[in-house]
Amino acid sequence: MMLQLVWQSRRILAPAIILAWLALAASLAQAIGKPDFKPGYNFYSPQEDVLLGKESSAQIDKQLPLLNDAGALQYLNGLGKRLVAFAPNNHPEYAWQFTIVNSAEINAFALPGGYIYVNRGVFDAAENEAQLAGVIAHESGHVVMRHGTHIASQAVVAQGGLAILTSILGQGGSLTSQLAQLGLGLGVDSLLLKNSRTAETQADEVGTYTLYQAGYDPRAMVEFFQIIARKYPQRTLQFFSDHPNPQNRIQDVDAEIEELGPPRGAKTDSPEFEGLKQHFAEIDPPPQQKGTPKMEAKKQSPPLPSENFIRYDGKKFTLNYPDNWRLQQEEDSVLLFPQGGMVTGAEGETAQAYGAAVSIYTPQQENWGLVDATQELIESMRQSNPQMHVLQQSGLNLHGNPAVSTLLQNDSPIEGQRETDHLVTVRQGDTVLTFIFIAPAGAFGSYAPAFDKILQSIDLARLR
Ligand SMILES: [Zn+2]
């Protein structure tokens, strides 16, 4: 009851109280030691898990090849729904939607709110229905333990906790724009999908329990993970990168099974599963693909910048940016870009073709002036961009701070296109804070209003 009260009123409680309470709850959970299926701390509601999962799945459905096979989907959804009926911490609003990815890679993943993806390769590698059920039960464990939004909550705490939480909650932006602001992103590369070993252990515990309650051999899940790691090392790279192997996985599962007591059933296989394997062997094989598709260059241009802007509150500056852009925080830089704004360049490297990038440059010379330092920066950029040249340079006043504005032209990472870059430099102590606005030359005009709006929103007040 206390727990419910705390979480439901999280938006009016002082964050400091929440954080103190979290630390206490975590230490209590460790002291008890027994698996009690209690999710980690979370600033989101289960309803928000569903909203977030739904938006992520809409993106992922466009990024991955799906298998639209009515019979197979009916079987998978039937099996999945039968299983999750036995999962702990289930919420009635969870979507429980199971999708098949038409890929020979052995992989499966779960989005918040019950959107589960199982690759065709899993059906191929599973030796019986119980092993497939084990994969589903494990993935549903990530859902009911709410690992995705737990990661998002950890990001809130990691990024300065109190301030960022207050500022995010105060903005009233959409849930996905909040996540973008935390640098988590959606889609196949989202950090929401990167589970910790602790999360894996929890998903194993829930998965084993669910299998047991549903009358399957509860060893089938861990058995499957062992088989695929041994037999298909190349086809499981993504799986074990998203699902790192917990230590003592087998011993932990065995201990749990012992505690659960005599088996409720030991179902291993079904004629439906064997029939489906046969069916998959007869239809067209999955299309060839090189691993999981990253954010590839799309034929069409990214969506234009939204009129609605959201706030980024960094340590060194604040600015506003379109709410349909993603924010990616690197160690010393912040990248802001639309869907499709990052492309794969000629040498296979990831490069930004649209959006804005903010970073810090430390000049080599001593006692530098801003114009000289900017010149030095441009020379250093030219080393990796030999086709770059300056179109125009002028002074600029950035909220009372002297700045240098440089318009550049360069080769776009999109093949056969030129790009325009607007570089703005401003002194920040011993370093130069640099803002670069990037778009293909032909599209720069339609991005210029958004770029100007971002530029006008930049606040360096804290530097003075
Ligand atoms: Zn997992």
Side-chain angles (χ1 to χ4, degrees):
M1 193 60 210
M2 176 61 193
L3 189 99
Q4 283 297 338
L5 190 73
V6 168
W7 297 132
Q8 284 177 3
S9 59
R10 71 195 192 283
R11 278 174 191 186
I12 51 169
L13 265 187
I17 297 176
I18 299 179
L19 293 178
W21 194 86
L22 295 175
L24 179 68
S27 64
L28 282 178
Q30 270 180 354
I32 295 163
K34 186 175 168 287
D36 54 2
F37 305 133
K38 200 168 278 172
Y41 69 84
N42 207 307
F43 298 131
Y44 300 86
S45 68
Q47 288 82 352
E48 287 172 321
D49 278 39
V50 178
L51 278 175
L52 189 59
K54 192 175 182 180
E55 286 203 41
S56 305
S57 80
Q59 256 189 45
I60 284 174
D61 290 354
K62 289 182 208 144
Q63 291 176 306
L64 296 179
L66 303 183
L67 185 70
N68 293 312
D69 182 309
L73 285 170
Q74 194 185 2
Y75 166 80
L76 177 65
N77 278 275
L79 175 61
K81 282 176 180 143
R82 271 203 315 282
L83 284 165
V84 300
F86 295 97
N89 301 330
N90 202 344
H91 283 273
E93 56 266 36
Y94 286 159
W96 298 122
Q97 184 179 301
F98 300 85
T99 304
I100 302 174
V101 181
N102 198 9
S103 164
E105 296 283 314
I106 299 165
N107 197 15
F109 60 91
L111 302 174
Y115 297 84
I116 292 179
Y117 290 75
V118 182
N119 278 17
R120 189 168 155 185
V122 171
F123 293 82
D124 193 33
E127 293 171 344
N128 54 49
E129 183 174 87
Q131 290 181 6
L132 172 65
V135 172
I136 299 169
H138 174 95
E139 294 305 331
S140 61
H142 286 303
V143 174
V144 296
M145 299 305 280
R146 310 188 54 214
H147 288 145
T149 46
H150 176 62
I151 292 171
S153 303
Q154 286 177 317
V156 168
V157 174
Q159 291 184 27
L162 316 181
I164 195 150
L165 184 66
T166 317
S167 95
I168 287 175
L169 295 180
Q171 276 165 23
S174 78
L175 189 61
T176 45
S177 65
Q178 290 175 15
L179 283 206
Q181 198 172 358
L182 291 169
L184 293 168
L186 301 172
V188 293
D189 292 328
S190 172
L191 288 180
L192 293 175
L193 297 173
K194 305 294 175 201
N195 291 303
S196 66
R197 286 191 167 75
T198 311
E200 284 313 303
T201 303
Q202 286 183 344
D204 277 0
E205 285 168 358
V206 171
T208 302
Y209 172 87
T210 305
L211 277 185
Y212 172 87
Q213 295 294 344
Y216 284 96
D217 177 358
R219 279 188 182 79
M221 179 197 73
V222 74
E223 203 175 80
F224 180 72
F225 295 153
Q226 278 181 287
I227 292 170
I228 60 173
R230 201 180 56 232
K231 273 176 82 175
Y232 311 99
Q234 290 301 317
R235 286 164 59 188
T236 51
L237 288 176
Q238 189 65 40
F239 181 84
F240 287 110
S241 119
D242 294 349
H243 302 261
N245 243 321
Q247 280 186 339
N248 311 319
R249 171 174 245 163
I250 295 163
Q251 293 93 306
D252 287 353
V253 167
D254 282 346
E256 184 185 353
I257 291 169
E258 195 125 321
E259 251 178 71
L260 288 169
R264 291 169 60 100
K267 184 173 159 78
T268 52
D269 210 3
S270 75
E272 292 77 19
F273 178 76
E274 292 305 322
L276 190 58
K277 276 187 82 121
Q278 185 64 35
H279 173 63
F280 279 169
E282 286 161 9
I283 62 175
D284 286 345
Q288 288 292 324
Q289 56 176 117
K290 289 187 208 127
T292 312
K294 301 290 176 200
M295 300 181 74
E296 283 170 3
K298 299 264 161 53
K299 289 278 184 290
Q300 76 269 39
S301 316
L304 284 173
S306 159
E307 299 278 325
N308 297 320
F309 275 49
I310 49 175
R311 190 150 191 82
Y312 168 75
D313 201 0
K315 285 196 198 99
K316 299 177 164 73
F317 62 94
T318 64
L319 55 70
N320 298 339
Y321 66 99
D323 70 359
N324 63 342
W325 284 15
R326 180 174 165 183
L327 186 146
Q328 189 173 311
Q329 186 134 26
E330 312 275 348
E331 200 165 86
D332 259 331
S333 60
V334 175
L335 306 180
L336 301 150
F337 52 89
Q339 171 82 32
M342 299 298 274
V343 302
T344 306
E347 270 118 48
E349 81 285 16
T350 302
Q352 187 169 8
Y354 292 84
V358 189
S359 57
I360 291 161
Y361 179 69
T362 308
Q364 302 295 306
Q365 50 192 312
E366 287 186 29
N367 301 322
W368 49 271
L370 188 59
V371 173
D372 288 345
T374 303
Q375 197 50 45
E376 194 189 278
L377 167 67
I378 291 168
E379 282 311 319
S380 83
M381 286 162 68
R382 211 195 300 273
Q383 304 200 337
S384 47
N385 298 274
Q387 301 305 317
M388 192 181 82
H389 66 267
V390 174
L391 294 175
Q392 184 192 316
Q393 193 166 59
S394 59
L396 185 77
N397 186 321
L398 204 62
H399 288 250
N401 300 278
V404 173
S405 157
T406 310
L407 215 52
L408 299 149
Q409 195 154 69
N410 195 7
D411 275 345
S412 168
I414 301 171
E415 209 187 336
Q417 291 204 38
R418 293 285 284 167
E419 76 179 17
T420 305
D421 303 305
H422 184 198
L423 169 72
V424 176
T425 47
V426 61
R427 179 189 270 273
Q428 192 227 324
D430 292 326
T431 60
V432 179
L433 198 54
T434 73
F435 301 84
I436 307 180
F437 302 91
I438 308 155
F444 196 85
S446 50
Y447 277 76
F451 290 166
D452 282 345
K453 209 169 151 185
I454 296 172
L455 197 55
Q456 280 158 22
S457 76
I458 294 168
D459 189 355
L460 307 170
R462 283 160 223 211
L463 304 182
R464 295 191 220 119

